[in-house]
Amino acid sequence: MESLNLFILQQVIKKRSSHEEGTIQDLKKQKFHFQKLVQSIDSLSDGQATLSYNDDNFREFSVHISPNDGPYKGGKVGFNFKMKPSYPSTPPQITCQNIIYHPNIDDEGDICLSVLNEWSSQNNDLVDCIQGLLYLLHYPNLEDPLSPFFAPGEDENEFQENVKLTMAGSVFNGVIFDCLLSQ
């Protein structure tokens, strides 16, 4: 009986640790998804996104997006990606590297991105995240602000002017924003 309890305990520990660390199958999918992103980032973003990574740790990488249209046109915004060991069962963690005036990116770099909230390992991958970020920079959601910098009720014209002002790295409402413009 004691050996049966020990066996059950070992199985529970093994199951928990494999979930936290991810499985071999997860690792293979992670590598596949990352390689797919490396090969397709230029074409999927129409040259608007670039990838920076270290060959020793493909689970953590950066993406810089330079939108060719929308309110952030002419800027360059950086994002850090971190695939958890359980990816693709769970979405990657994505944070913005910049202090940016964007209604859907808060002062901690957290991002309100629908693909992350509605993640499905059967339907989503890193490519979807890049496309979601591109969309967010082209078409910010003014109706559902996450950012404490964003004034609810701000109209489209005010928003456009505030984006131009803050992208230049100026102080706005007491906050110093990062310069996102190419120098």
Side-chain angles (χ1 to χ4, degrees), residues 76-90:
K76 185 175 185 177
V77 184
F79 297 92
N80 293 324
F81 279 66
K82 182 176 183 179
M83 285 188 275
K84 298 174 186 170
S86 55
Y87 175 91
S89 298
T90 58

Side-chain angles (χ1 to χ4, degrees), residues 14-31:
K14 185 176 181 181
K15 185 175 182 180
R16 284 184 184 164
S17 66
S18 70
H19 178 68
E20 292 168 5
E21 295 173 10
T23 64
I24 297 295
Q25 198 169 23
D26 286 340
L27 183 60
K28 287 179 181 178
K29 286 180 183 177
Q30 291 166 11
K31 286 182 180 178

Side-chain angles (χ1 to χ4, degrees), residues 56-144:
D56 295 334
N57 184 6
F58 70 89
R59 285 183 172 156
E60 295 183 27
F61 56 93
S62 297
V63 173
H64 289 88
I65 298 178
S66 299
N68 62 12
D69 199 9
Y72 299 93
K73 180 180 179 177
K76 185 175 185 177
V77 184
F79 297 92
N80 293 324
F81 279 66
K82 182 176 183 179
M83 285 188 275
K84 298 174 186 170
S86 55
Y87 175 91
S89 298
T90 58
Q93 178 183 354
I94 305 172
T95 54
C96 185
Q97 297 172 355
N98 305 104
I99 298 174
I100 181 174
Y101 186 80
H102 191 293
N104 314 114
I105 302 173
D106 75 10
D107 55 336
E108 300 288 321
D110 293 327
I111 302 164
C112 182
L113 188 61
S114 61
V115 70
L116 300 176
N117 297 328
E118 301 163 6
W119 189 262
S120 164
S121 62
Q122 289 83 20
N123 298 323
N124 298 116
D125 62 14
L126 298 171
V127 167
D128 296 315
C129 296
I130 302 299
Q131 290 174 328
L133 291 171
L134 281 164
Y135 187 85
L136 205 61
L137 290 172
H138 282 260
Y139 308 102
N141 182 354
L142 303 177
E143 303 299 317
D144 189 22

